[in-house]
Amino acid sequence: MATDAVAQLADSLAKTQVTEGELSYKGQGRKFDNAQSVEEMVKEIQEFKGLQALRLEGNTYGVEAAQAIAKALETKSEFKYCYWSDMFTGRLRSEIPPALNSLGAALMTAGARLTVLDLSDNAFGPDGVKGIEKLLKSTACHTLQELRLNNCGMGIGGGKILAAALTECYKQSSAQGTPLGLKVFIAGRNRLENDGATALAQAFQLMGSLEEVHVPQNGINHPGVTALATAMQHNPQLRVLNLNDNTFTKKGAIAMAQALKHLRSIQVINFGDCLVRSEGAIAIAEAVTEGLPILKELNLSFGEITGEAALLVAQSVEGKATLEKLDLNGNCLGEEGCDDLREVMDGLNMGDLLGSLSDDEGEPEEDDEEEEDDEDEEDDEDDVEEEEDSSVNQVSSPPSVPRSPDAASFLCFPSPDKLLKLGTKRALLFEQQVDVADAGKTAEAFLKISSVYNEEDEQVKSAVLDSIDAILRKAFASPSFQGYNFVSSLLVMLGLLKSEDKVKPVHVVPGHLQALEYVVRQDYFPQDHIAVLEAFMSRHIQALESCSSARNILKSTLEHFRPEN
């Protein structure tokens, strides 16, 4: 008897109006196969005046049962909230679309104006998305604020159908003067991949109203991440961005860092397990330094980030009064790097905000780096031989007329003599030759030109600085120039930062650092980049040992020009 009483009480509580206008059958674990099995539910829905929310989750419904419930909803014009997650467990996938179709049609018939549509944890695949396609395009969804489709197995096809439906909904609602203002989008674990994510990104960009985006575990690589990054820039009210367990790599991370610069309302960033790597982490750190005034949580865990880059991330959160957690666990810091990171956070009085580092992967294997460098060296030697052969062929036609030096030949094989022979128009020639829209090529040109710098030869020194000035002033003057990418490319080429692109570092000479010291003193060089350079120049790095004097002068200049000074 007691057991029956408890069961009846539980059943009664489950059906009770939890909030105003809500009827709930949540979590009863019941199986409703046909119309007869939901007779009591249908009656309660029909008799519930002012029904706004219906919780069906945690049960399983067949087609006939769903159709019976739908019939009862056809008169509920005040209906707003569909809490319909996990309601098809054990059903054939072919049963789900007609069940969803009937429920959607009922809401359209009722003239409902939805605020929340939650169909998470229903493994309905692309066909399931087709089951809600008409509903999403209808006036019932013109008022939709939250769309929750977590763990539905939509795949690329379902993602494209969903994107098209949201786009149509936006266009139709805009035509009626009330554009769709979706605020929350949740679609984790759906195998959207690049094509699905890119299609959705186009819809997100169009809407521009998102406040939360959760798309973790979707097999998205840098093309899809880049598309999402572009879309996020058009959603200025974004507060939460969760792309956990997708694959950014450097390209995706840099694109996302650029997007973050436009998002001053962002509070939570979850890029954990996204393989942002060190170069991406540096770009994100600069974005955090430059903005994000109300950031609460930054997750860059398990991203193959090295110690130096992690320190820059830590330094970037200085002064973020709202910060609650910084997660850098599972990266490649090593024991010393972990200690350094804790020390920096303690120095900022934020030690208690640093998450656990218990899963740190340790510093990158030296042997792996050396093997990669050896492979790169062989490839580069082959490239140089081809360039030399090509250059010889060009010069020898006609053999009796020596070719006058130009910017391209200098950049292939730099020498002081070639630089001087370019004459007084050398700066203009370099401006025309170097694609300053490409931060990597700009960094490469800087290193080529500065490699012939000679402090004791005023003529060569002046030619180098004039040429560098012309290129970098033009580059940094462009709004689209990615300065942080330029700095990270420099660090990679100087051998101070490992790159996923297996770039072979140059042989560092004093001229590289002397020219860089000149550049950081110029008005066109952003002060935000100074902290990044200083962090790397302050560490003991073998590549810089032969240039200790030039490095010390550069370090002193960087300290002097730090923004806080």
Side-chain angles (χ1 to χ4, degrees):
M1 289 291 294
T3 303
D4 291 338
V6 170
Q8 288 175 0
L9 177 62
D11 186 55
S12 176
L13 287 172
K15 297 175 184 175
T16 300
Q17 179 177 335
V18 178
T19 58
E20 185 181 357
E22 178 178 294
L23 186 60
S24 177
Y25 299 91
K26 180 180 179 180
Q28 295 182 18
R30 296 171 65 183
K31 187 177 183 181
F32 300 102
D33 292 324
N34 50 42
Q36 185 178 359
S37 66
V38 291
E39 279 182 354
E40 184 181 351
M41 185 186 301
V42 166
K43 184 180 179 183
E44 289 173 341
I45 292 173
Q46 290 172 334
E47 294 176 352
F48 197 116
K49 294 182 179 180
L51 181 66
Q52 295 183 26
L54 178 62
R55 290 189 173 274
L56 299 176
E57 66 263 52
N59 302 292
T60 178
Y61 303 83
V63 176
E64 286 186 22
Q67 289 172 339
I69 294 169
K71 189 68 178 175
L73 289 172
E74 287 182 352
T75 60
K76 305 299 176 181
S77 60
E78 298 176 45
F79 196 80
K80 296 180 180 180
Y81 307 98
C82 302
Y83 297 112
W84 297 347
S85 63
D86 187 23
M87 56 181 282
F88 296 114
T89 300
R91 299 292 172 183
L92 295 174
R93 181 168 288 188
S94 59
E95 293 181 83
I96 301 175
L100 291 173
N101 261 319
S102 57
L103 289 166
L107 297 177
M108 290 186 278
T109 300
R113 293 293 184 270
L114 297 184
T115 300
V116 176
L117 177 58
D118 185 356
L119 289 166
S120 297
D121 300 313
N122 290 311
F124 49 49
D127 290 341
V129 185
K130 291 178 182 177
I132 58 171
E133 186 177 8
K134 288 182 181 178
L135 173 64
L136 289 172
K137 291 179 178 180
S138 73
T139 55
C141 285
H142 286 187
T143 52
L144 193 64
Q145 293 184 15
E146 297 185 18
L147 180 57
R148 302 171 181 266
L149 297 168
N150 201 58
N151 190 33
C152 288
M154 290 189 289
I156 295 171
K160 289 182 176 180
I161 296 168
L162 177 61
L166 289 174
T167 299
E168 183 65 22
C169 181
Y170 178 81
K171 289 180 178 178
Q172 289 190 15
S173 59
S174 296
Q176 294 180 18
T178 55
L180 172 65
L182 190 68
K183 294 181 179 180
V184 178
F185 180 84
I186 301 176
R189 300 180 64 187
N190 270 291
R191 304 192 308 277
L192 293 172
E193 300 182 19
N194 290 331
D195 289 349
T198 299
L200 285 166
Q202 293 170 350
F204 297 162
Q205 183 167 331
L206 195 62
M207 291 186 290
S209 56
L210 289 166
E211 295 180 9
E212 292 188 31
V213 174
H214 302 261
V215 285
Q217 291 183 295
N218 268 293
I220 307 170
N221 298 325
H222 74 81
V225 172
T226 300
L228 288 170
T230 301
M232 294 305 102
Q233 294 184 41
H234 296 268
N235 287 265
Q237 301 306 311
L238 192 69
R239 294 182 294 104
V240 180
L241 183 56
N242 176 9
L243 277 87
N244 188 284
D245 200 9
N246 290 292
T247 307
F248 283 31
T249 61
K250 180 182 75 173
K251 291 180 180 178
I254 288 175
M256 197 58 74
Q258 183 66 23
L260 291 176
K261 293 185 177 184
H262 298 264
L263 301 173
R264 295 188 60 80
S265 298
I266 203 85
Q267 295 179 22
V268 178
I269 299 171
N270 187 346
F271 297 160
D273 206 13
C274 283
L275 208 64
V276 299
R277 296 198 169 123
S278 296
E279 291 171 274
I282 290 172
I284 291 168
E286 290 206 10
V288 174
T289 300
E290 291 177 18
L292 312 191
I294 56 174
L295 184 66
K296 289 184 177 180
E297 183 176 335
L298 176 59
N299 183 346
L300 296 177
S301 59
F302 299 93
E304 291 191 3
I305 300 169
T306 56
E308 293 87 351
L311 291 179
L312 292 172
V313 173
Q315 291 165 359
S316 75
V317 301
E318 181 178 5
K320 306 295 180 187
T322 56
L323 191 74
E324 296 175 0
K325 185 176 181 181
L326 172 63
D327 191 347
L328 287 165
N329 197 20
N331 283 299
C332 306
L333 312 186
E335 186 175 345
E336 183 180 346
C338 288
D339 290 341
D340 290 345
L341 181 59
R342 293 188 187 99
E343 184 179 340
V344 168
M345 291 297 286
D346 287 339
L348 298 175
N349 294 319
M350 301 173 107
D352 57 333
L353 306 183
L354 180 64
S356 169
L357 299 174
S358 59
D359 294 318
D360 187 72
E361 298 285 343
E363 294 185 69
E365 292 287 337
E366 293 283 341
D367 292 342
D368 291 344
E369 292 184 30
E370 288 174 6
E371 286 175 11
E372 289 177 1
D373 290 343
D374 289 342
E375 291 172 6
D376 295 338
E377 190 171 342
E378 291 174 9
D379 293 340
D380 288 349
E381 285 174 356
D382 292 340
D383 292 341
V384 168
E385 286 176 5
E386 289 176 9
E387 287 177 0
E388 287 176 340
D389 290 342
S390 174
S391 177
V392 167
N393 289 337
Q394 291 173 358
V395 171
S396 62
S397 178
S400 58
V401 181
R403 182 181 177 184
S404 60
D406 59 26
S409 63
F410 170 84
L411 291 172
C412 284
F413 305 102
S415 73
D417 184 56
K418 281 185 180 179
L419 183 65
L420 294 177
K421 285 183 177 179
L422 289 175
T424 56
K425 293 185 178 180
R426 65 179 69 88
L428 179 60
L429 293 173
F430 282 123
E431 278 190 58
Q432 295 171 342
Q433 180 65 34
V434 179
D435 179 10
V436 295
D438 188 320
K441 290 179 180 178
T442 305
E444 184 179 5
F446 168 82
L447 292 176
K448 290 286 184 80
I449 297 170
S450 61
S451 69
V452 303
Y453 181 96
N454 187 341
E455 186 70 36
E456 297 178 359
D457 189 327
E458 282 298 328
Q459 195 176 7
V460 173
K461 175 182 173 181
S462 177
V464 167
L465 298 183
D466 286 348
S467 302
I468 287 171
D469 253 344
I471 295 171
L472 295 188
R473 192 176 294 279
K474 181 180 178 182
F476 282 109
S478 171
S480 62
F481 185 68
Q482 296 182 337
Y484 50 83
N485 198 1
F486 168 78
V487 172
S488 64
S489 295
L490 268 185
L491 294 171
V492 167
M493 293 175 191
L494 289 170
L496 310 184
L497 178 65
K498 186 180 177 183
S499 170
E500 65 187 60
D501 297 330
K502 299 182 180 179
V503 174
K504 182 190 175 186
V506 301
H507 173 65
V508 183
V509 296
H512 290 140
L513 306 186
Q514 290 166 326
L516 187 56
E517 190 272 339
Y518 166 82
V519 167
V520 298
R521 289 189 278 111
Q522 305 311 304
D523 57 2
Y524 57 74
F525 190 80
Q527 287 192 326
D528 294 330
H529 301 332
I530 289 176
V532 178
L533 290 172
E534 185 183 5
F536 280 86
M537 292 299 160
S538 299
R539 297 182 68 80
H540 179 73
I541 299 174
Q542 189 174 357
L544 301 179
E545 287 184 356
S546 61
C547 309
S548 56
S549 176
R551 179 175 71 165
N552 290 337
I553 294 171
L554 175 56
K555 279 172 58 181
S556 177
T557 300
L558 290 168
E559 289 171 7
H560 177 74
F561 281 89
R562 259 197 315 230
E564 59 264 33
N565 291 348

